[in-house]
Amino acid sequence: MSGHSHRTPDGFAAQAREALGDRTLTQAMRRVTDLFAERRAAALETVPDWQELRQQARAIKLHTLARLDHYLAQFAGAAAKNGAIVHWAEDAAAACRIVGELAQVHRATRLVKSKSMATEEIHLNAALAAAGTEPVETDLGEWIIQLAGEMPSHIIVPAIHKTRQQISELFVDKLGVAPSDEPTVLAAEARERLRQHFAEADMGISGVNFGVAETGTILVLENEGNARMTTTLPKVHVAVMGIEKVIPRFADLEVFLRLLPRSGTGQHLTSYQSLLTGPDVGVPGRAGQGPRELHLVLLDNGRANIAVDETMRETLACIRCGACLNACPVYQSVGGHAYGAVYPGPIGAILTPQLQGMHQAAALPFASSLCGACKDVCPVQIDIPSLLLELRKRAVEGEAPGAAPAKRAAFEALTWKLWAWFVRSPGRYRFAAAMARLGDKLPLVKRLLPPMRAWASSRALPRLAKRPFRAGHKDGGS
Amino acid sequence: MPAPRPSRDVALFATCLGDQLFPGVVEATVTVLERAGCAVRFDPRQTCCGQPAFNSGYWREARQVARHFLDVFERADAVVAPSGSCVAMLHRFPQLFADEPDVAARAAALAHKTFELSSFLVRELGVTDLGARFDARVGWHDACHGLRELGVRDEPRTLLAAVQGLELVELRTRESCCGFGGTFSVKLPEVSTAMLDHKLDEVMEAPIDVLAAIDGSCLMQLHGRLERRGARVRTMHLAEVLASR
Ligand code: SF4
């Protein structure tokens, strides 16, 4: 499989069909999402106050988002006081430019990077590659994806769609190593190569899981130790942080640290938690620890608009744990690439249309059966089904910024208008039902109506009852 | 059979699907409610709750239909429907009428007294044994909206446990969505069917004769595919099981 850059959010239907045709992919998705869901369930059993924790986390996030300006200013001030250099990036282009210039100024040619969705969102690697300094991904999964020239298909398990066999073939092809599908052999091979990159790197790029306003501290969570090295070995560390990642107090971290790893991978805690408070400023006794320069790139890229939209604001409460992906029957069936965007699954279906605009992603809010499994597992209780419904309305009513009424919409809108006209009056409803009964006798009608055809492509069509229930209850009693 | 039965006036909401496609389910609902001591009334002015348009993003159209629903049912003591999904829609009326607080308030009051059948029987009436007999092994499908929006999980099981001759078989995929999702089922038929097959792969191997649920829409989806796959498992609504003797 190649780069898939042709995939788009609005291409969901075709991309989902393509995914469903790939048995290796669908089986891998099922297996892995089932596994993560099981681990999550097991990890939850050890936390009796799980629901309270979720409520606390939600409250902290919503409180912060309602006063985002205030907490961001506090965070930036505290970070600057610690010696970090804070940059504000209004959009993806600005963020990429800032990081690119930093690489240039420091004559950094060997860049290492740890896993970060914000940098995926702004396509940082592509931008830096264009300038001749593509960073090396150091998270094993991300590194595999980078080798393969693909996009991650899960927000915490980027190579979730790849089987061991496929990874082995990739290594043979790109690294010229002997074939092996032993995970330990593959991992050792990767570690060997990555160690070399760390030793030589002159700049490290990371994301941020949480930024603490009162202390200016950032927290980076991971399991392989690669983010620890990325953020401490090179002399310059650049952290790209979505502005919604800020939380008020250091003590708030406790709540999120208990929720996030359990929700995501089913771990009680990730193997590494790196708390970074400013660069190495030569304090006696602490000199030589960490980078000489720490840059924080605070990324808006559409977030500020979401924060002021009271109905949609809770989208930004997401802590990117990935639980909603693992729980989603659509995601489980088609995987992440079908969503044609950096953020897949339920969170992607609400986030992508808001970040990229409804004109590019109106299909995604409809890529859901509204089963609600996402809401059930979300550690910050984001009401994803309600937000999907709101976005559907905006897609239809053209309320969303940049929304153009879709082409199919004219006919569809007329259909719903007629439907409502018939159904809001008992007389017309009876009449329409009688007409439908006539139509039901004509096989041709069923073959011609697109929804009927779509249904019948895999399922026996239901028949209208000979007599509706109401026919026996004209008197109003029973 | 437990003797004293509380008497309740119940306005029956047949749901448009029940009315037009599954009148047998609605008849069974009436039977069950009457056995539980209710006086059941069917107002023929009723049509639909508006959910199809609401879920498709056509809120203006949904509001027109929802308003009619309000007019018809507002004065009832209690409204009962053989569906979790339609009742859950009532709880979405405040979202639908967010710009009209007075209508939203009326809707919230109505939602408060509108019940899915099994939760009405168990939670409201405290009835668990309807004196039913049904000799079959039954697999249960936890329909999404009932389960996650109304919290209906134990009520149907409590009722089924009292049915003589019935053996309830718990499925591993009992809480997996059947893939219906309204227009989702015809807009993304392949995805819908993939979700459905995931569930049916287990159903078809399971030692069950009947797959049952509280929602006609799920059953329509499940039945349509079971028939296409040539399965011998039948689908039944909870009301039909409970009305059996
Ligand atoms: S929406 Fe909730 S469940 Fe999904 S990734 Fe974000 S925090 Fe996790």
Side-chain angles (χ1 to χ4, degrees), chain A residues 86-105:
Chain A
V86 178
H87 309 259
W88 298 89
E90 195 185 337
D91 55 17
C96 290
R97 188 168 24 85
I98 291 165
V99 182
E101 283 170 6
L102 285 170
Q104 228 173 21
V105 168

Side-chain angles (χ1 to χ4, degrees), chain B:
Chain B
M1 267 179 47
R5 289 276 163 70
S7 163
R8 270 298 270 277
D9 279 333
V10 168
L12 174 69
F13 175 37
T15 77
C16 56
L17 210 72
D19 181 27
Q20 298 298 329
L21 261 58
F22 311 115
V25 170
V26 190
E27 301 284 2
T29 304
V30 174
T31 305
V32 168
L33 284 169
E34 285 177 347
R35 280 187 199 154
C38 298
V40 184
R41 208 175 47 78
F42 176 83
D43 188 329
R45 292 175 302 154
Q46 65 181 267
T47 60
C48 169
C49 62
Q51 180 169 206
F54 177 69
N55 283 2
S56 303
Y58 288 83
W59 288 21
R60 188 149 37 107
E61 287 74 11
R63 273 194 293 271
Q64 294 169 349
V65 174
R67 241 191 221 102
H68 176 69
F69 185 94
L70 274 177
D71 291 341
V72 172
F73 284 106
E74 196 161 38
R75 276 169 295 278
D77 285 343
V79 182
V80 176
S83 161
S85 192
C86 303
V87 173
M89 177 62 201
L90 269 275
H91 292 272
R92 294 219 169 256
F93 278 13
Q95 188 184 2
L96 178 61
F97 290 104
D99 294 336
E100 297 166 75
D102 50 326
V103 187
R106 282 169 59 198
L110 177 55
H112 197 68
K113 55 182 180 178
T114 304
F115 305 93
E116 173 279 326
L117 175 65
S118 72
S119 34
F120 181 72
L121 291 169
V122 177
R123 285 188 223 163
E124 286 299 302
L125 301 184
V127 172
T128 53
D129 187 348
L130 289 146
R133 168 159 207 107
F134 187 65
D135 293 301
R137 296 165 301 175
V138 174
W140 184 251
H141 165 63
D142 287 286
C144 296
H145 290 168
L147 176 69
R148 301 199 182 86
E149 293 186 38
L150 304 176
V152 177
R153 180 188 271 116
D154 299 337
E155 295 81 352
R157 291 179 169 82
T158 304
L159 291 163
L160 289 175
V163 176
Q164 294 201 16
L166 186 146
E167 182 197 336
L168 178 64
V169 179
E170 290 289 1
L171 303 169
R172 190 175 45 81
T173 55
R174 58 190 175 270
E175 292 186 4
S176 302
C177 176
C178 69
F180 176 65
T183 49
F184 173 82
S185 65
V186 290
K187 284 201 163 177
L188 294 164
E190 297 87 358
V191 183
S192 169
T193 307
M195 290 158 67
L196 177 54
D197 276 341
H198 174 62
K199 187 162 197 110
L200 293 186
D201 286 346
E202 186 194 0
V203 166
M204 290 178 64
E205 295 293 311
I208 59 172
D209 311 300
V210 169
L211 181 62
I214 55 169
D215 258 289
S217 48
C218 307
L219 292 169
M220 182 170 80
Q221 163 97 339
L222 294 162
H223 170 79
R225 187 66 180 161
L226 280 169
E227 189 178 317
R228 195 55 72 81
R229 286 178 64 170
R232 38 149 210 95
V233 179
R234 287 184 296 145
T235 51
M236 274 175 91
H237 193 282
L238 175 71
E240 295 173 298
V241 176
L242 296 180
S244 302
R245 273 190 173 165

Side-chain angles (χ1 to χ4, degrees), chain A residues 103-119:
Chain A
Q104 228 173 21
V105 168
H106 290 94
R107 298 184 202 289
T109 51
R110 287 153 308 185
L111 277 50
V112 286
K113 186 169 161 294
S114 61
K115 204 188 116 35
S116 133
M117 288 310 295
T119 57

Side-chain angles (χ1 to χ4, degrees), chain A residues 99-101 103-104 107-112 124-136 146 202-203 205:
Chain A
V99 182
E101 283 170 6
Q104 228 173 21
R107 298 184 202 289
T109 51
R110 287 153 308 185
L111 277 50
V112 286
L124 180 64
N125 285 2
L128 291 174
T133 53
E134 177 166 9
V136 175
Q146 188 177 35
D202 33 30
M203 186 191 242
I205 303 172

Side-chain angles (χ1 to χ4, degrees), chain A residues 125-196:
Chain A
N125 285 2
L128 291 174
T133 53
E134 177 166 9
V136 175
E137 294 287 353
T138 60
D139 170 271
L140 184 53
E142 279 295 338
W143 188 60
I144 290 167
I145 293 303
Q146 188 177 35
L147 279 181
E150 293 181 17
M151 279 199 346
S153 65
H154 190 291
I155 62 178
I156 58 164
V157 205
I160 193 172
H161 59 289
K162 286 219 167 298
T163 61
R164 218 181 291 164
Q165 177 76 27
Q166 289 171 328
I167 294 169
S168 165
E169 283 163 18
L170 180 73
F171 280 21
V172 171
D173 182 32
K174 301 276 171 166
L175 308 174
V177 302
S180 162
D181 60 2
E182 257 314 304
T184 50
V185 175
L186 294 173
E189 185 64 42
R191 194 170 304 128
E192 191 56 41
R193 309 247 167 182
L194 289 172
R195 194 164 291 156
Q196 194 67 24

